[in-house]
């Protein structure tokens, strides 16, 4: 019975590893498809309205895609035992379906894909949608961290608190 437990745990790691690899492969195809559609339609078909701003936007999108893909790939990277110990799978990496930063990264990726396709196919004004995630991030950072930190009153030391308690308010005599 002791030999089955590591095999069963390793089976779960292998399933997670295969699922993460499938997610990353699908994501790479989606990124390449979005860029191909953008380049074929916007650059080739609408070359007369293609400007330096569009080139800058495309380069920015490529940098965002690269950074987010590398983040997800590093989060999902497996750890193996040394080859001298058999090279067994120790950890399949983080689950790409998990909540938190990984979920926010997926949201940013899909927002980036939408912005790229919408600006390429419909209107350049859809680039303003790319401003929404940083504004949301700023709002949450402000309301949860910055404002509570700057608005917290200074703590009084023990001597000041004792003198404050001993003070008596004198009213006017009538």
């Amino acid at each position: 019975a002791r030999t089955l437990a590591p095999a069963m745990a390793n089976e779960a790691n292998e399933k997670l590893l295969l699922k993460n690899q499938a997610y990353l492969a699908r994501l790479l195809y989606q990124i390449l498809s979005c860029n191909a559609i953008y380049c074929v339609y916007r650059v080739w078909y609408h070359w007369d309205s293609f400007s330096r701003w569009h080139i800058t936007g495309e380069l920015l999108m490529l940098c965002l895609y690269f950074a987010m893909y590398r983040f997800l790939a590093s989060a999902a990277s497996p750890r193996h035992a040394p080859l001298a110990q058999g090279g067994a799978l120790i950890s399949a990496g983080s689950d790409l379906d998990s909540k938190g930063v990984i979920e926010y990264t997926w949201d940013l990726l899909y927002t980036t894909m939408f912005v790229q396709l919408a600006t390429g196919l419909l209107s350049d004004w859809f680039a303003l949608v790319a401003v929404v995630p940083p504004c949301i991030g700023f709002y949450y950072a402000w309301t949860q961290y910055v404002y509570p930190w700057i608005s917290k009153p200074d703590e009084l030391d023990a001597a000041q608190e004792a003198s404050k308690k001993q003070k008596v308010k004198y009213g006017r005599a009538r």
Side-chain angles (χ1 to χ4, degrees):
R2 291 185 183 188
T3 59
L4 292 178
M8 290 176 68
N10 203 19
E11 184 178 324
N13 278 338
E14 289 174 2
K15 284 182 181 179
L16 180 61
L17 177 65
L18 292 175
K19 185 176 85 166
N20 285 346
Q21 288 174 346
Y23 276 166
L24 290 174
R26 188 185 76 207
L27 177 63
L28 186 61
Y29 291 134
Q30 289 173 344
I31 290 171
L32 292 175
S33 298
C34 286
N35 282 297
I37 291 169
Y38 182 84
C39 287
V40 166
Y41 186 76
R42 184 66 183 184
V43 177
W44 183 67
Y45 189 68
H46 290 290
W47 177 253
D48 52 339
S49 66
F50 196 68
S51 68
R52 289 184 186 174
W53 287 108
H54 294 100
I55 295 170
T56 304
E58 175 66 12
L59 291 175
L60 180 63
M61 296 281 181
L62 289 174
C63 290
L64 287 171
Y65 282 138
F66 179 76
M68 290 184 281
Y69 183 83
R70 290 296 301 156
F71 173 75
L72 289 175
S74 68
S77 64
R79 284 190 351 217
H80 294 278
L83 287 177
Q85 298 174 357
L89 181 65
I90 295 174
S91 170
S94 297
D95 186 8
L96 293 181
D97 277 337
S98 63
K99 303 287 183 197
V101 176
I102 292 177
E103 184 181 30
Y104 295 143
T105 305
W106 283 110
D107 294 343
L108 287 174
L109 270 167
Y110 290 133
T111 303
T112 305
M113 289 179 195
F114 170 76
V115 168
Q116 185 179 25
L117 291 176
T119 56
L121 300 175
L122 300 174
S123 171
D124 289 340
W125 287 102
F126 278 100
L128 294 175
V129 173
V131 177
V132 172
C135 289
I136 292 171
F138 177 77
Y139 171 76
Y140 281 122
W142 179 262
T143 58
Q144 294 178 1
Y145 301 108
V146 177
Y147 183 72
W149 177 62
I150 63 174
S151 65
K152 186 167 87 172
D154 294 334
E155 295 185 20
L156 300 174
D157 60 351
Q160 287 177 338
E161 286 184 23
S163 67
K164 211 175 185 185
K165 288 180 182 177
Q166 290 177 354
K167 286 184 181 177
V168 178
K169 288 188 176 181
Y170 295 103
R172 295 171 89 184
R174 288 186 191 200

